[in-house]
Amino acid sequence: MAACYFPDIWAWMQNLLPVTQWKTNSMSICIFSSKSTQTSLNLTITKNLQNQNPSLSFSIVADLNIPIPLWISKSFKHNIQTPKFLDNGTLCNLFCNFIKDVLNYGPTKNTSFLYIPSLDTISNFKDVFNLSFFTLTLLICIYEAPQDIRLECLNALKNHLIASHSKETSKTLMRLLGSNIEEQWVRSLNLAITNWIVELDAQNHILRTPSPLFSYSISALGLWKVQLYCPIIAMNTESSSNASADERLQFSLRHHQLEGVIQFGYKVVVQEKWVNVIVKVDNIRCDVIRLVSETLLTEKGAGAAEKHFPSRISLQLTPTLQTNVLSISVSKSSENPAREIGLEKTIEGSFDPPNSFLGFKAAVSETMTMSLKPWKFEQSIYGYSANLNWFLHDSVDGREVFSTKPSKIALLQPKAWFKNRYSSAYRPFTKQGGVIFAGDEYGESVLWKVDRGALGKTMEWEIKGKIWLTYWPNKHRTFYTETRGLEFREILQLSLV
């Protein structure tokens, strides 16, 4: 698909004449124009100077035979004496309006953590402003746009928002919003994407989404961090059962998203003849979070407890330029299974009536118990790449979950480990349904020896990974099972000083 260039909304607003010099009551700019239907989507600014409190409002309008407003901002007080069209205060309020209206489409609408500093202190605020506007436009199009312009505009917006420049700007926006608002922002966006994919599936269309849909990395202060989000429906299906999911179960499974955080601590130790680069697991967190309310999941779905769970996490760390790398060392993997074998012999006896042949019966039974550690951690080396893998195992038979299809008999057993998996005392997940691998348990480090000639340089490390999510029935009566996979890749920086 050819690239579509969207206008610089910030620059257009900055170059507008003061409202007292407008010849009409409104000014518009075309956001997107459909080549097939000759329909456009416009941003319109309308002034109201008729009362004692002059005001401005902004709207996104579908320019059909009869123009249809798809979104209207709140009214902003306007100082007609200002030499600029918009002062910083109004721009900041408009930016907050974009943010809050994006959040309004999500399951949570708590904006108490939203704080925007002075615009003069925000680097590249122009790009952040434009990105927030076009993200809102994407949601508006998904929920409100007429068919004449809908599909073309959505595809163009999607390609624009996943481009490398937008991805870099997203990092700035997320840091500006803070982690609490970031989670709400991405859940609103991914709920809209989920609804769009459901709509396209019903029309036998395929939406090609990046995997993951949104991710970014940070390298600072001895910490590497990768944050990623992806709606379940956008993940690739690795395997599924012959049985099909009923409509209510599909609703519950679709309306969740994967949220992952991968954190490594790194340290540079200068030796006499080489440099040690030591990387250690700090925190690996993987959660499956609902995108709609629990009430809706109960009314239209099979409940909030019917969702995927993490079954395998695979990470690979590789220095991209290996000229100065001398060697790599990894530590041992975790031991699995942890066996607890107990042999118990019991004798049961009973007396028969006097007419019986022996008059006494005895029975001997033996029981053997074995417990398996649910998660196994393994390290391996490929070239100068360090491979880290976490595998979830069925605690009954020890088989890997991500590659296993349980039998129908196993799915019917009421006390199987995957039943009531978010409330059982023996659950391999957190109460919320995710997993956390911390450095105190998986803290064995990976060590690269690097030639001293690399001192003073910044090296790049590539982190590639894949996360598998599996669904086995929890409380819902079904034989449906499936496993989905998500791949990602990020570049991390490390200064050898």
Side-chain angles (χ1 to χ4, degrees):
M1 180 177 178
C4 177
Y5 297 96
F6 287 87
D8 186 340
I9 300 300
W10 170 272
W12 175 70
M13 290 183 179
Q14 293 293 312
N15 292 325
L16 283 175
L17 294 171
V19 294
T20 53
Q21 299 180 34
W22 291 9
K23 296 180 180 179
T24 61
N25 285 330
S26 64
M27 299 289 284
S28 296
I29 183 174
C30 177
I31 302 172
F32 178 81
S33 180
S34 169
K35 296 179 180 178
S36 60
T37 63
Q38 305 301 313
T39 307
S40 64
L41 203 65
N42 300 333
L43 171 64
T44 299
I45 306 175
T46 304
K47 66 178 181 179
N48 181 5
L49 306 180
Q50 304 302 317
N51 50 40
Q52 294 181 347
N53 298 310
S55 63
L56 296 172
S57 64
F58 301 77
S59 58
I60 296 175
V61 179
D63 190 12
L64 306 174
N65 292 330
I66 301 177
I68 302 174
L70 307 180
W71 169 82
I72 301 176
S73 73
K74 67 178 186 179
S75 294
F76 298 94
K77 293 181 181 179
H78 182 65
N79 181 7
I80 59 176
Q81 304 300 325
T82 182
K84 289 184 177 181
F85 164 60
L86 293 177
D87 56 29
N88 280 357
T90 304
L91 284 168
C92 185
N93 289 334
L94 179 58
F95 175 65
C96 288
N97 197 160
F98 295 160
I99 302 298
K100 290 178 179 178
D101 281 2
V102 167
L103 301 183
N104 281 338
Y105 283 103
T108 308
K109 303 174 179 63
N110 180 11
T111 58
S112 59
F113 293 101
L114 181 60
Y115 169 76
I116 305 300
S118 172
L119 303 190
D120 298 332
T121 64
I122 303 173
S123 61
N124 301 323
F125 182 70
K126 178 188 82 167
D127 296 329
V128 172
F129 181 90
N130 286 337
L131 180 71
S132 63
F133 171 76
F134 286 116
T135 303
L136 174 61
T137 305
L138 177 74
L139 269 65
I140 296 296
C141 282
I142 289 174
Y143 292 112
E144 311 292 346
Q147 293 299 323
D148 303 62
I149 197 172
R150 180 182 179 79
L151 188 58
E152 280 185 80
C153 187
L154 283 175
N155 279 322
L157 280 166
K158 186 259 295 183
N159 291 334
H160 176 70
L161 292 173
I162 65 175
S164 57
H165 178 73
S166 294
K167 187 175 180 179
E168 285 300 313
T169 304
S170 293
K171 295 182 185 180
T172 305
L173 176 59
M174 294 303 105
R175 287 196 293 270
L176 181 62
L177 296 180
S179 182
N180 294 74
I181 299 297
E182 171 187 322
E183 290 185 355
Q184 295 182 53
W185 175 275
V186 179
R187 289 171 191 175
S188 294
L189 178 58
N190 283 346
L191 174 58
I193 294 292
T194 296
N195 290 328
W196 183 21
I197 295 176
V198 169
E199 176 189 330
L200 292 176
D201 284 348
Q203 300 171 359
N204 295 318
H205 290 299
I206 297 176
L207 174 63
R208 298 190 179 277
T209 59
S211 185
L213 204 59
F214 175 65
S215 67
Y216 64 90
S217 62
I218 297 174
S219 307
L221 304 174
L223 180 71
W224 283 339
K225 178 182 176 181
V226 175
Q227 184 90 39
L228 55 92
Y229 303 88
C230 189
I232 299 298
I233 197 172
M235 295 175 64
N236 295 324
T237 302
E238 301 277 328
S239 64
S240 63
S241 61
N242 295 327
S244 58
D246 59 78
E247 188 175 338
R248 294 181 68 88
L249 179 59
Q250 280 187 355
F251 185 89
S252 284
L253 295 182
R254 284 171 170 172
H255 288 85
H256 283 86
Q257 80 168 8
L258 168 65
E259 298 183 4
V261 178
I262 297 161
Q263 292 178 180
F264 289 98
Y266 65 83
K267 184 167 60 173
V268 177
V269 180
V270 180
Q271 303 289 341
E272 183 179 353
K273 295 182 179 180
W274 65 80
V275 178
N276 286 336
V277 175
I278 304 169
V279 178
K280 189 174 182 180
V281 171
D282 177 77
N283 231 228
I284 311 291
R285 303 192 297 273
C286 183
D287 286 301
V288 180
I289 304 296
R290 59 180 173 81
L291 293 174
V292 295
S293 67
E294 288 192 44
T295 302
L296 190 59
L297 285 173
T298 301
E299 290 177 352
K300 299 187 66 175
E306 298 304 317
K307 61 179 182 178
H308 295 74
F309 54 84
S311 56
R312 182 184 174 186
I313 300 173
S314 178
L315 305 175
Q316 183 180 81
L317 282 169
T318 308
T320 57
L321 183 61
Q322 301 183 359
T323 307
N324 294 311
V325 179
L326 304 175
S327 67
I328 178 175
S329 302
V330 295
S331 51
K332 68 176 182 178
S333 301
S334 62
E335 297 177 356
N336 192 54
R339 288 184 174 88
E340 296 176 3
I341 300 177
L343 188 63
E344 181 181 344
K345 294 184 178 180
T346 59
I347 299 177
E348 295 181 1
S350 65
F351 287 95
D352 283 349
N355 297 335
S356 64
F357 180 69
L358 292 175
F360 179 80
K361 288 184 177 180
V364 179
S365 65
E366 292 184 358
T367 61
M368 181 179 292
T369 62
M370 180 174 68
S371 68
L372 298 173
K373 193 173 183 179
W375 285 96
K376 178 177 174 61
F377 174 62
E378 291 183 350
Q379 297 189 40
S380 63
I381 292 174
Y382 178 75
Y384 284 142
S385 297
N387 300 312
L388 312 178
N389 287 278
W390 289 262
F391 302 89
L392 176 65
H393 291 76
D394 187 326
S395 58
V396 176
D397 57 24
R399 291 187 297 177
E400 291 176 347
V401 171
F402 83 99
S403 60
T404 300
K405 290 184 180 179
S407 67
K408 290 184 177 180
I409 294 176
L411 293 176
L412 289 174
Q413 291 178 354
K415 294 185 178 180
W417 75 264
F418 49 85
K419 296 280 188 176
N420 301 309
R421 56 180 172 261
Y422 307 123
S423 55
S424 168
Y426 304 101
R427 63 185 185 270
F429 314 106
T430 64
K431 190 78 172 177
Q432 195 175 25
V435 291
I436 299 175
F437 302 122
D440 54 356
E441 184 176 1
Y442 301 98
E444 300 296 336
S445 59
V446 180
L447 184 149
W448 285 269
K449 284 187 177 180
V450 181
D451 187 272
R452 282 181 62 94
L455 278 175
K457 298 179 181 179
T458 297
M459 293 184 66
E460 284 188 347
W461 254 258
E462 176 193 71
I463 178 169
K464 287 168 55 178
K466 187 169 183 178
I467 298 175
W468 286 261
L469 299 181
T470 297
Y471 173 73
W472 290 356
N474 185 30
K475 296 181 179 180
H476 190 65
R477 294 182 64 85
T478 180
F479 291 121
Y480 182 74
T481 62
E482 74 169 19
T483 293
R484 291 176 177 260
L486 169 73
E487 297 183 45
F488 63 91
R489 175 185 177 273
E490 293 288 340
I491 296 296
L492 303 163
Q493 308 289 332
L494 185 147
S495 297
L496 296 181
V497 293

